[in-house]
Amino acid sequence: MKFIDPHIDFAFKKIFGNEDAKDILLSFLESLLGPEGDRRIFAP
């Protein structure tokens, strides 16, 4: 089984670039950035 390298821009867009992956993308970004309180990422 082959995996896509998320370091490549095309692969990142393929993994995180659709509406179904929105929650996963937000979780990923918050885990990297570590925002707290009112600085958390909010997406309606």
Side-chain angles (χ1 to χ4, degrees):
M1 175 186 241
K2 291 186 179 184
F3 293 99
I4 299 174
D5 183 1
H7 291 101
I8 300 170
D9 184 53
F10 173 77
F12 189 89
K13 288 178 186 176
K14 198 72 166 162
I15 295 168
F16 296 109
N18 63 39
E19 192 67 28
D20 295 334
K22 185 177 181 179
D23 293 336
I24 297 169
L25 176 60
L26 291 175
S27 177
F28 174 70
L29 291 174
E30 286 188 345
S31 70
L32 287 177
L33 300 173
E36 296 179 9
D38 62 343
R39 297 185 56 107
R40 293 193 59 157
I41 299 171
F42 173 74

